Amino acid sequence: MTKASDTALPKAKASKLGNSKFRDNQLVLVFQGGGALGAYQAGVYQALDEAGIEPDWIIGTSIGAINASLIAGNERHNRLAAVKEFWQRMSHKSPLHGWPGLEAFAQSFSNLNTVVSGIPGFFEPNPMAFLGGGIPLGADSAGYYSTAPLEKTLNELVDFSLIKKNKPRLTVGAANVRTSQMRYFDSRETEFDARHIMASGALPPAFPAVRIDGELYWDGGILSNTPTEAIFDDYPRRNSVIFAVHLWNPDGSEPATMDEVAHRQKDIMYSSRVANHIARQQEAHRLRHIVKELSALLPEDSLANPKVREMRAYGCLTRMHVVRLMAPNLEGSNHTKDVDFSPSGIARRWEAGYRSAHGAILQAPWQGEFDSLEGVILHESVNEWREAKAQDCVVRTEAKQPTPAVVHSGGINGTDSRVN
């Protein structure tokens, strides 16, 4: 197992803020899939944990589902330790690690070694799959790798009996192989075991589908890699602050090499068009607010009309604040970044997530007065969220970073919805 010192995870302790920052809002974490990029999510959770903030609900796909289960499947005082233990087990050091001048080669060698040999405790090669595409493997084993090691790891690090308590609530997405429909397994109605987490991360053709109740499921990311719709479709709706933790950048420069093409293609494919989805939800929630406001103007005698009551029911004044945390593209990263389980790659992404979440917590952009008609408000920084000096923040030894401007967008046209 990799020593904690190898991954150099953040050790600073923030002052305890607790969930009072969120007032009457539930705190929801939404974790994308993205393999090794999931270390960024771990850093986000560490920042929340150190601030004394715990999520009410975690939704994830793929590696996001694994991170979510590590949090939901442990007592509060053990959650961060479980997350750290998992990522230390996943850390995959190249024999050339630390050799001066060979960093890039060592990284490539490490990634290649992951593809060839797998990762202990996560996945291992399925030799029969490499004999040819027509070799019968069976529906439950049709993948280039076996994830049996992951099942063992999950059973060691996750207490699935705790997930039934819904503290926090856990939801993971998986794609039904037969119907191509998304299935959300929710702890309010599902008794979780390792299969549900493995199904959410069964990305074909690398990993085989996982069978649950007679149906096979693949990685939910092939249908929706950022499953925010589970929150918007939830009933009854609740006022929420949603930390949408994104591992794949929807914006990027024009690629000029084939490596850059492969890199950009992955970012586009797995970023899941979340901006368009949120824009549609902004419009729908605005209309719900309008219906609610208009219904308050109706004469009293009209409220007895069944049709009026039916239409009034579409009105809703709940508000969703979506705080988008975007994992940065690290220097030297390419299209193989999602298999970069090197100690340095994990540590850098973990630190980036920690800094992003810590900056968001300090700024608390969901606090304040907003247009009463806006039901979904997107908060995203112009630059990456940066850690800022504040009275309730640890002073770090590194150079000061400028506090970023924050865009608050709401409404159909994405206009600023904050009331000045």
Side-chain angles (χ1 to χ4, degrees):
M1 181 173 67
T2 304
K3 296 179 181 178
S5 58
D6 288 338
T7 50
L9 304 179
K11 295 183 176 64
K13 291 286 182 182
S15 55
K16 297 292 184 181
L17 302 174
N19 282 45
S20 60
K21 272 232 172 193
F22 302 95
R23 298 178 182 172
D24 297 327
N25 297 293
Q26 68 171 343
L27 173 60
V28 186
L29 301 183
V30 179
F31 287 166
Q32 272 191 343
L37 307 182
Y40 179 84
Q41 299 166 349
V44 168
Y45 179 71
Q46 179 174 350
L48 293 170
D49 179 75
E50 289 181 1
I53 297 169
E54 286 297 322
D56 299 294
W57 186 9
I58 315 176
I59 305 170
T61 56
S62 201
I63 194 68
I66 293 174
N67 281 328
S69 71
L70 293 166
I71 298 167
N74 279 279
E75 298 286 359
R76 181 167 181 169
H77 62 280
N78 285 332
R79 289 170 182 169
L80 182 58
V83 173
K84 286 184 175 181
E85 174 66 19
F86 174 81
W87 283 96
Q88 287 165 4
R89 292 189 188 191
M90 296 304 105
S91 182
H92 197 51
K93 184 181 291 187
S94 163
L96 302 175
H97 180 77
W99 284 38
L102 293 179
E103 291 84 359
F105 182 76
Q107 184 62 67
S108 297
F109 184 85
S110 177
N111 293 350
L112 178 62
N113 195 31
T114 297
V115 172
V116 172
S117 304
I119 295 178
F122 196 167
F123 59 92
E124 60 191 8
N126 176 10
M128 291 294 292
F130 292 91
L131 296 179
I135 300 296
L137 301 173
D140 298 82
S141 302
Y144 288 110
Y145 302 91
S146 166
T147 52
L150 176 60
E151 182 175 16
K152 182 174 184 293
T153 297
L154 289 172
N155 284 326
E156 289 174 354
L157 298 181
V158 177
D159 183 347
F160 287 98
S161 67
L162 287 177
I163 294 177
K164 291 190 293 187
K165 297 181 179 181
N166 291 301
K167 295 183 178 179
R169 177 182 172 189
L170 175 64
T171 302
V172 302
N176 187 299
V177 174
R178 186 179 56 82
T179 66
S180 72
Q181 296 298 306
M182 192 71 162
R183 168 87 182 267
Y184 285 110
F185 296 102
D186 193 302
S187 59
R188 294 194 303 185
E189 55 196 31
T190 300
E191 186 168 343
F192 271 80
D193 58 42
R195 293 173 304 151
H196 298 89
I197 311 304
M198 294 168 65
S200 184
L203 183 64
F207 301 150
V210 176
R211 193 176 297 278
I212 300 172
D213 298 331
E215 294 281 354
L216 286 174
Y217 292 93
W218 273 330
D219 191 314
I222 65 177
L223 288 176
S224 178
N225 201 34
T226 312
T228 50
E229 67 264 20
I231 307 165
F232 298 127
D233 294 341
D234 194 40
Y235 188 83
R237 296 184 187 88
R238 290 182 58 189
N239 292 329
S240 304
V241 173
I242 303 160
F243 276 38
V245 186
H246 294 182
L247 306 179
W248 304 91
N249 202 316
D251 301 315
S253 57
E254 295 180 356
T257 69
M258 293 312 297
D259 280 349
E260 291 174 358
V261 167
H263 189 184
R264 187 70 197 119
Q265 182 255 352
K266 264 192 176 180
D267 271 340
I268 292 172
M269 183 167 61
Y270 292 122
S271 63
S272 292
R273 301 170 297 283
V274 67
N276 291 339
H277 180 66
I278 289 177
R280 290 195 298 272
Q281 289 295 335
Q282 286 175 326
E283 182 174 358
H285 275 67
R286 182 179 176 85
L287 290 173
R288 289 190 182 105
H289 279 226
I290 290 172
V291 170
K292 191 71 173 180
E293 296 280 356
L294 287 174
S295 66
L297 303 177
L298 293 172
E300 190 72 27
D301 57 357
S302 69
L303 302 183
N305 187 315
K307 289 186 177 180
V308 172
R309 289 202 302 270
E310 180 183 358
M311 288 185 284
R312 285 186 70 207
Y314 286 97
C316 177
L317 290 180
T318 54
R319 174 166 286 156
M320 313 285 187
H321 290 272
V322 181
V323 181
R324 185 157 76 165
L325 302 181
M326 184 74 69
N329 271 325
L330 301 179
E331 183 180 358
S333 65
N334 57 30
H335 65 282
T336 65
K337 61 187 178 181
D338 52 329
V339 294
D340 175 19
F341 286 92
S342 66
S344 61
I346 289 173
R348 289 193 298 161
R349 292 186 173 94
W350 191 301
E351 174 68 15
Y354 181 89
R355 289 166 57 85
S356 294
H358 197 52
I361 293 166
L362 291 176
Q363 291 198 31
W366 54 89
Q367 294 180 348
E369 298 297 325
F370 298 88
D371 186 334
S372 63
L373 294 182
E374 300 305 339
V376 176
I377 301 170
L378 176 63
H379 306 278
E380 54 185 341
S381 58
V382 173
N383 303 307
E384 179 191 358
W385 289 101
R386 296 292 185 186
E387 186 172 40
K389 263 191 174 183
Q391 200 168 11
D392 58 350
C393 144
V394 172
V395 178
R396 300 173 69 86
T397 58
E398 60 199 24
K400 294 181 183 179
Q401 297 290 342
T403 302
V406 179
V407 173
H408 307 273
S409 66
I412 298 173
N413 298 318
T415 54
D416 191 339
S417 61
R418 185 183 285 274
V419 175
N420 294 318

